[in-house]
Amino acid sequence: MAHMNEADKPNGAAAAALFSAGVGSAVLGIATLGAEVNEGLRGALTWSKAVGPLSGKTSAAVIAWIASWLIIGLVWREKDVKLAPVLVISAILTAIGLLLTFPPFFELFAA
């Protein structure tokens, strides 16, 4: 078996890690906005009464991040993925997550 150097390795696993970070960020933002506009969702996201809906928001984001990393990582692990589109989509998802967790923005939609 020939020795593989770093340049010869597929980049799919790294691309999956970047993409899933964006997914987790977007889920956190969506959950944050959702909890502001929907009392039922706010209650559903209260997984710990001591913490409030933040417990569900962050837990849902971590679950989405890990699940997407696992699934996409398995699909892309042996593949070379075009990194430019992955980086753009990851940046957009991360920007969505940041915007939706920014209080002046999500308070515009508060119930």
Side-chain angles (χ1 to χ4, degrees), residues 13 29 42 50 52 59 67 75 77-78 80 85 109:
R42 183 179 310 147
S59 297
V75 172
R77 70 177 174 204
E78 299 297 328
D80 272 320
F109 303 94

Side-chain angles (χ1 to χ4, degrees), residues 19 31 59 72 74:
F19 186 83
S59 297
I72 297 166
L74 288 173

Side-chain angles (χ1 to χ4, degrees), residues 14-35:
L18 291 169
F19 186 83
S20 63
V23 169
S25 296
V27 168
L28 179 61
I30 292 166
T32 299
L33 179 63

